[in-house]
Amino acid sequence: MRTPAPRPTSTSRPSPTPVGSSPRAMTRGAIAEWATEDPPASFDPARVFEAGLRNHHLANTAYPIAHRSTIWHLRQAPERHVALLHRALLAEGRIGLYAHIPFCERRCSFCEYAVVERHDAELEAAYHAALLREIDLYAGALGPGAVELVGFDLGGGTPSLIDPARIEEIVLRVKSVFRTGPRFGMSIETTPRIAATRPERLAAYLRIGIDRISMGLQMANPRLLAEYGREHSTLDHNRPAVEQIRRAGFRRLNIDLMYGLARQRALDFRFTLEHAISLEPEYITLYRMRYKGTRIRAEAEGVELDRVVEMAELAHELLLAAGYDGSPGKNAYSRVAGDPGTSAYLTERVVQGTPYLGLGLGAQTFMGNLLAYNLGAADKRLEGYLGATAAGRWPIQDLYLLTPAEGMAKMISVSFYFGAIDLDSFAERFGVELADRFPREVAFLLERGVMEIAGRSLRLTGRGAREENGAIALFYSDRVKAHLLSRREKGKA
Ligand SMILES: C[S@@+](CC[C@H](N)C(=O)[O-])C[C@H]1O[C@@H](n2cnc3c(N)ncnc32)[C@H](O)[C@@H]1O
Ligand code: SF4
């Protein structure tokens, strides 16, 4: 998984933002240039919590929301982009890396990602060349080995749709620019059809060091698969896919499932879960449907929070009974002791807020106070990205210098992917204890029994996982809270 890029909608030219140093600016990465904060508003935690629940389709791990009304004023002028990015990378020194391969044979109507339905040899070659050029831009700016990688994920789209020799070239080019850390690992996404029918690709991935594979199963109900436009609307490929993945030698297989869809009943989801468990993957990741930016966004209105919660609780119960481990609110379940189930890239990003760099169409980059989107994030079209890289330009659509409040909100939102905030990581990154920065919010959550302290972690309780959307909203910036509070409608994404 990656947190999907929320999509800003314009590329009009911003003016440079006045910046200042926060006395409590983050201690890691030595980025002193935070945008100046607004004077703090004093929102009642109970009201914000209720607004998060009311807007449960929006108040999730994808942050920020409503860019135009919340962080638009923090956009930086294009002539500053490269220097800011360069400086952030060198200051951080240690990052996760994500490369986006946008091709899919057909776009599933529930999909939120930057996906291109066209795929032929010419377009694949052009995109591959563009990605290599983008890596080369970083090579030129950083020099070899200046930055360490904690992990590298190839996602999409469907990265396994392209020639594995191209994947290998990308991996080699990445490794020639970045040095790899001690727990470095690589993960790639595939669909059941490709895994079942192209075993030679699976073997190639292992040969080049990709040791984790993630397969999007989504749902096992032929009716739903067909209705949502999955390229293969039967179950036929799932079991052969797993057999091929095992035969190739993978020992780290993840299966993605989706829930919270308007046309999906609890019964459908139970069938999907039982089917996925019967395939015996090491990990199962649950994706709650996010409607924003999808072809079926209008269906969000029909999905009440209670129904979504019922499905999440069903999954928790069945997965635990099947020997998978996962705490309340955690999306990734694992049956390998000591392994959270996520890729090296994602695990550090979720727990420690480790910065990440995104390559490719519409990819998102987040490094402390810097948030950037590549071209294609807003319009999901390839032309801008291909054109910029061909001309030797950095393919950046928008770059923001965040306030500390926005940086904290972004880090905390992502940490809810595991249903918990790591208190040491927060304090290390921002130079302040979570409870000192959010005293009323933390007290509210503890008193209500939504979260609890466990060692150096503030985590959702079993009951609190039902109200995760309210809890996340409490850590949003004041502007984003104001946006949520201003929205009265139920359910809309
Ligand atoms: C980029 S997709 C790659 C997987 C692969 N292309 C496939 O579909 O088989 C990663 C995962 O994101 C999840 N996903 C897609 N659209 C989503 C949405 N609108 N909300 C939440 N999760 C979504 C799916 O579970 C999917 O497997
Ligand atoms: S869910 Fe996967 S296969 Fe479907 S459009 Fe999105 S990336 Fe492509």
Side-chain angles (χ1 to χ4, degrees):
M1 164 271 184
R2 72 219 67 77
T3 302
R7 278 118 200 157
T9 48
S10 154
T11 51
S12 64
R13 196 183 167 82
S15 53
T17 304
V19 289
S21 310
S22 157
R24 304 191 118 173
M26 60 187 246
T27 51
R28 279 184 63 162
I31 300 172
E33 200 182 14
W34 290 93
T36 311
E37 299 230 66
D38 298 329
S42 184
F43 291 115
D44 173 11
R47 281 187 61 225
V48 174
F49 186 77
E50 197 273 325
L53 292 179
R54 192 172 67 241
N55 292 285
H56 62 92
H57 288 304
L58 278 181
N60 55 38
T61 54
Y63 188 91
I65 50 180
H67 290 62
R68 275 186 176 273
S69 56
T70 56
I71 63 164
W72 206 241
H73 61 296
L74 302 176
R75 284 192 315 155
Q76 301 299 302
E79 53 272 23
R80 299 193 71 203
H81 287 178
V82 177
L84 288 170
L85 195 53
H86 183 204
R87 195 181 58 182
L89 274 163
L90 288 177
E92 290 291 351
R94 202 169 160 274
I95 61 164
L97 186 69
Y98 170 75
H100 190 72
I101 312 287
F103 304 112
C104 289
E105 284 174 352
R106 193 168 154 191
R107 185 183 184 90
C108 310
S109 60
F110 53 73
C111 186
E112 64 180 345
Y113 295 105
V115 161
V116 176
E117 279 175 289
R118 222 160 24 108
H119 175 244
D120 55 42
E122 201 182 329
L123 200 58
E124 179 180 313
Y127 188 78
H128 178 245
L131 210 45
L132 292 178
R133 278 195 215 103
E134 191 183 359
I135 299 169
D136 288 346
L137 287 170
Y138 285 99
L142 298 174
V147 175
E148 178 184 308
L149 291 189
V150 299
F152 178 32
D153 275 16
L154 290 129
T158 313
S160 54
L161 204 54
I162 73 171
D163 184 342
R166 296 197 197 285
I167 299 282
E168 180 167 13
E169 210 178 333
I170 292 166
V171 167
L172 289 175
R173 193 71 62 95
V174 160
K175 287 188 173 173
S176 73
V177 180
F178 301 95
R179 66 178 196 282
T180 53
R183 285 185 300 280
F184 177 80
M186 292 189 282
S187 184
I188 193 163
E189 289 173 356
T190 187
T191 60
R193 191 185 62 76
I194 297 173
T197 57
R198 307 301 301 263
E200 75 289 356
R201 297 196 169 183
L202 306 172
Y205 302 149
L206 272 171
R207 209 180 48 246
I208 57 183
I210 299 174
D211 66 338
R212 181 182 181 277
I213 189 157
S214 180
M215 185 170 85
L217 195 145
Q218 323 306 2
M219 51 204 89
N221 322 89
R223 172 185 63 85
L224 291 178
L225 289 167
E227 279 185 32
Y228 288 120
R230 283 289 275 180
E231 65 181 33
H232 46 89
S233 55
T234 70
L235 296 182
D236 298 351
H237 290 306
N238 295 345
R239 204 163 295 278
V242 172
E243 280 163 16
Q244 294 294 4
I245 287 169
R246 296 305 189 198
R247 199 164 298 150
F250 275 98
R251 293 286 161 264
R252 302 192 68 210
L253 164 64
N254 171 67
I255 286 184
D256 286 344
L257 303 179
M258 293 193 61
Y259 70 103
L261 288 127
R263 297 175 235 170
Q264 184 185 37
R265 297 162 302 172
L267 198 67
D268 298 319
F269 192 42
R270 176 183 283 276
F271 177 65
T272 295
L273 284 159
E274 286 169 350
H275 174 66
I277 289 168
S278 79
L279 297 172
E280 300 181 356
E282 279 71 31
Y283 324 117
I284 293 183
T285 302
L286 306 176
Y287 281 90
R288 177 175 161 184
M289 176 64 195
R290 288 191 282 238
Y291 287 87
K292 198 176 145 206
T294 68
R295 289 180 179 168
I296 55 167
R297 54 189 168 276
E299 295 184 11
E301 274 178 88
V303 183
E304 296 289 335
L305 182 56
D306 284 352
R307 254 188 68 206
V308 182
V309 165
E310 184 194 348
M311 290 194 205
E313 289 182 345
L314 173 67
H316 189 68
E317 186 191 317
L318 293 186
L319 289 169
L320 258 51
Y324 288 85
D325 189 32
S327 44
K330 184 165 180 278
N331 297 5
Y333 286 76
S334 167
R335 60 181 176 87
V336 181
D339 180 345
T342 35
S343 64
Y345 154 83
L346 189 63
T347 306
E348 272 224 16
R349 178 177 154 184
V350 172
V351 178
Q352 293 168 33
T354 302
Y356 54 91
L357 173 65
L359 305 170
L361 184 74
Q364 186 188 104
T365 293
F366 175 48
M367 291 184 192
N369 68 339
L370 183 152
L371 176 65
Y373 300 90
N374 264 1
L375 286 163
D379 63 10
K380 298 181 180 160
R381 293 172 64 86
L382 268 180
E383 291 74 10
Y385 176 76
L386 294 181
T389 45
R393 290 197 311 274
W394 295 67
I396 299 169
Q397 174 193 283
D398 294 305
L399 185 147
Y400 303 82
L401 276 192
L402 303 178
T403 61
E406 296 294 356
M408 290 176 189
K410 176 104 182 118
M411 176 186 172
I412 293 173
S413 300
V414 174
S415 69
F416 272 89
Y417 193 85
F418 279 7
I421 306 168
D422 186 86
L423 298 174
D424 287 335
S425 297
F426 181 88
E428 190 186 344
R429 195 144 269 286
F430 294 104
V432 58
E433 288 291 326
L434 186 82
D436 291 338
R437 175 74 189 203
F438 297 98
R440 295 169 69 209
E441 291 76 10
V442 171
F444 175 86
L445 291 168
L446 294 176
E447 273 162 32
R448 197 179 160 101
V450 175
M451 298 189 86
E452 62 189 4
I453 302 280
R456 289 290 292 157
S457 164
L458 179 69
R459 67 178 188 197
L460 288 167
T461 61
R463 194 174 72 72
R466 307 177 130 247
E467 298 183 326
E468 178 172 1
N469 307 97
I472 293 183
L474 286 177
F475 299 101
Y476 284 177
S477 73
D478 287 343
R479 283 177 186 250
V480 178
K481 284 179 181 168
H483 174 76
L484 278 189
L485 285 162
S486 72
R487 289 172 52 94
R488 304 303 325 162
E489 313 96 303
K490 272 200 159 175
K492 274 193 184 166

